[in-house]
């Protein structure tokens, strides 16, 4: 089972890492388009869901990045646990 599990986990890790890179680049691009400084970014991400379509796009991409980071962390934990459970 682990001979199949490790490549699947590594593939999921690579996909989530790529997802994080793409969402980060798109988020920075949309934030640059909005012209927000540090305080504006803090206001955007700490507040409720924005109504403006451009701010909403940046807000969604920021959450996509956070979900991708979470997926990478889960894979980082799951790969050694799967190897440990298999006895390698």
């Amino acid at each position: 089972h682990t001979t199949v599990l490790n490549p699947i986990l590594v593939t999921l890790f690579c996909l989530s890492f790529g997802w994080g890179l793409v969402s980060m680049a798109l988020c920075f691009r949309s934030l640059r388009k909005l012209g927000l400084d540090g305080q504006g970014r803090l206001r955007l991400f700490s507040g409720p869901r924005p109504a403006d379509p451009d701010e909403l796009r940046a807000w969604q991409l920021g959450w996509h990045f956070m979900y991708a980071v979470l997926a990478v962390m889960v894979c980082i934990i799951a790969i050694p646990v799967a190897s440990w459970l298999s006895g390698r």
Side-chain angles (χ1 to χ4, degrees), residues 3-20:
T3 58
V4 174
L5 186 60
N6 267 348
I8 290 172
L9 289 173
V10 170
T11 302
L12 288 175
F13 171 79
C14 292
L15 288 173
S16 58
F17 190 78
W19 176 28

Side-chain angles (χ1 to χ4, degrees), residues 54-87:
D54 292 332
E55 288 183 354
L56 179 62
R57 174 89 172 133
W59 185 80
Q60 288 174 335
L61 288 168
W63 280 108
H64 274 270
F65 174 70
M66 294 306 294
Y67 293 141
V69 167
L70 183 64
V72 166
M73 292 301 186
V74 167
C75 289
I76 286 174
I77 293 169
I79 291 170
V81 167
S83 294
W84 176 69
L85 290 175
S86 70

Side-chain angles (χ1 to χ4, degrees), residues 38-52:
Q39 290 294 332
R41 290 177 185 179
L42 183 63
R43 179 193 54 79
L44 177 68
F45 291 117
S46 65
R49 184 182 179 113
D52 180 45

Side-chain angles (χ1 to χ4, degrees), residues 4 12 21 24 28 30-31 40 75 83:
V4 174
L12 288 175
L21 289 177
M24 181 178 61
F28 282 149
S30 64
L31 288 172
C75 289
S83 294

